[in-house]
């Protein structure tokens, strides 16, 4: 009986020890914290690179449409003003209203897919971008020289712009830069007022704007030196961005809000 009682006491002691929370050494905790911080930094860099490239691609596509067909498709303040002029002058064509309508349709599709308004790790970002690449390539092969190609481009840009991409407290609209310049100016005003914690926004929005302009510059160069590739390159880069988002979603989307 004594040996059984002793064994039961020993088992109880072991269970009590196992039930206690594990206590890591200060060195282990420090190592873990450093690794976690490094992962967050890498995640932030990867995601910013992805977002900047997506913005540059929008600048590229918009300049391509302007150069080839004299029509912007990534934003619609000017298009809506032109629509008002055409309505009064009586020279309204079906092309402009169709472009605006399809842009809104793309945003509606994003609303259906991302109605929770949260930017979280999801395969659908990668799959959507890969699908956009396929659509671009298909229309490039058959409609490269006709304005009809502007219609699917407007749809896809509306879809992209409503992706609801967040970086910390900043909302990124990747297909146009009017809001970006507004947010850049506002953040700069806050910094000048003494709110230096807002300085990261100045850099973030400033780089977003430069990304858009850089994409447009590349499109102008391609139109000059290799016009046959003008609408084919976006298909390639949308596929790359889609694959990047799909493969690395857990590594950089997971830390987007941290």
């Amino acid at each position: 009986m004594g040996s059984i009682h002793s064994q039961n006491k020993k088992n109880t002691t072991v269970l009590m020890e196992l039930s206690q929370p594990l206590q890591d050494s200060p060195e282990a905790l420090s190592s873990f914290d450093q690794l976690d911080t490094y992962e967050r930094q890498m995640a932030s860099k990867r995601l910013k690179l992805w977002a900047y490239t997506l913005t540059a691609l929008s600048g590229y596509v918009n300049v391509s449409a302007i150069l080839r067909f004299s029509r912007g498709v990534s934003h619609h303040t000017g298009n809506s003003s032109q629509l008002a002029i055409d309505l009064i002058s009586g020279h309204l064509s079906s092309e402009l209203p169709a472009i605006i309508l399809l842009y809104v349709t793309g945003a509606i599709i994003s609303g259906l897919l991302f109605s929770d308004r949260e930017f979280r790790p999801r395969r659908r970002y990668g799959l959507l971008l890969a699908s956009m690449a396929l659509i671009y390539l298909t229309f490039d092969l058959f409609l490269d020289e006709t304005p009809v190609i502007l219609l699917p481009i407007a749809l896809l840009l509306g879809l992209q712009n409503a992706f609801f991409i967040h970086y910390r407290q900043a909302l990124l609209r990747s297909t146009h830069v009017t809001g970006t310049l507004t947010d850049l100016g506002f953040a700069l005003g806050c910094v000048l007022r003494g709110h230096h914690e807002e300085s990261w926004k100045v850099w973030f929005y400033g780089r977003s704007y430069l990304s858009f302009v850089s994409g447009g510059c590349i499109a102008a160069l391609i139109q000059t030196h290799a016009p046959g590739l003008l609408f084919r390159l976006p298909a390639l880069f949308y596929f790359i961005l889609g694959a990047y988002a799909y493969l690395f979603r857990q590594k950089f989307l997971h830390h987007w809000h941290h």
Side-chain angles (χ1 to χ4, degrees):
M1 290 292 293
S3 62
I4 294 175
H5 178 74
S6 176
Q7 183 65 35
N8 287 338
K9 185 177 180 180
K10 182 178 180 181
N11 290 341
T12 301
T13 303
V14 171
L15 288 172
M16 290 178 65
E17 289 176 353
L18 290 174
S19 67
Q20 297 298 318
L22 295 176
Q23 300 295 326
D24 291 326
S25 66
E27 292 79 12
L29 288 173
S30 176
S31 176
F32 175 79
D33 289 340
Q34 289 177 6
L35 179 61
D36 190 59
T37 300
Y38 173 76
E39 287 182 343
R40 283 201 297 267
Q41 290 174 346
M42 292 304 297
S44 177
K45 289 179 180 179
R46 290 191 186 104
L47 194 44
K48 283 190 288 187
L49 176 62
W50 183 76
Y52 293 149
T53 307
L54 198 61
T55 303
L57 194 52
S58 298
Y60 178 101
V61 171
N62 193 57
V63 168
S64 299
I66 292 173
L67 290 173
R68 189 65 61 87
F69 303 110
S70 301
R71 178 75 71 191
V73 289
S74 69
H75 52 283
H76 296 283
T77 303
N79 284 344
S80 297
S81 298
Q82 186 62 51
L83 177 64
I85 295 172
D86 293 346
L87 283 170
I88 297 302
S89 65
H91 296 99
L92 182 65
S93 66
S94 59
E95 175 189 306
L96 186 55
I99 289 174
I100 296 173
L101 179 61
L102 283 168
Y103 184 90
V104 175
T105 302
I108 291 172
I109 295 172
S110 270
L112 293 171
L113 294 174
F114 309 110
S115 57
D116 55 3
R117 300 174 71 85
E118 290 186 14
F119 192 57
R120 297 179 299 173
R122 290 171 173 169
R123 289 184 178 91
R124 66 185 61 175
Y125 286 106
L127 295 175
L128 276 175
L129 289 169
S131 299
M132 291 168 68
L134 182 61
I135 293 172
Y136 264 105
L137 182 60
T138 300
F139 278 89
D140 172 68
L141 293 174
F142 298 103
L143 298 172
D144 182 27
E145 298 300 328
T146 66
V148 178
I149 197 174
L150 298 179
L151 302 181
I153 289 177
L155 175 72
L156 296 176
L157 289 178
L159 176 68
Q160 172 188 325
N161 198 48
F163 269 7
F164 211 78
I165 301 174
H166 265 106
Y167 178 71
R168 293 164 73 173
Q169 299 90 23
L171 176 64
L172 176 64
R173 296 297 188 183
S174 61
T175 70
H176 57 265
V177 293
T178 302
T180 300
L181 288 173
T182 301
D183 292 333
L184 170 62
F186 186 85
L188 184 56
C190 290
V191 171
L192 293 175
R193 183 72 175 177
H195 300 281
H196 299 291
E197 69 277 4
E198 298 289 301
S199 60
W200 68 268
K201 292 183 180 179
V202 176
W203 290 104
F204 177 71
Y205 288 123
R207 289 167 180 165
S208 296
Y209 175 76
L210 292 177
S211 296
F212 189 90
V213 174
S214 298
C217 291
I218 294 172
L221 289 172
I222 295 296
Q223 172 65 12
T224 301
H225 300 288
L229 298 177
L230 190 63
F231 286 106
R232 198 158 300 177
L233 285 181
L236 173 62
F237 279 97
Y238 271 117
F239 180 80
I240 292 173
L241 289 173
Y244 191 79
Y246 184 87
L247 294 173
F248 294 100
R249 65 190 184 281
Q250 294 295 348
K251 291 186 177 180
F252 69 90
L253 291 179
H254 180 69
H255 298 290
W256 190 242
H257 296 293
H258 299 287

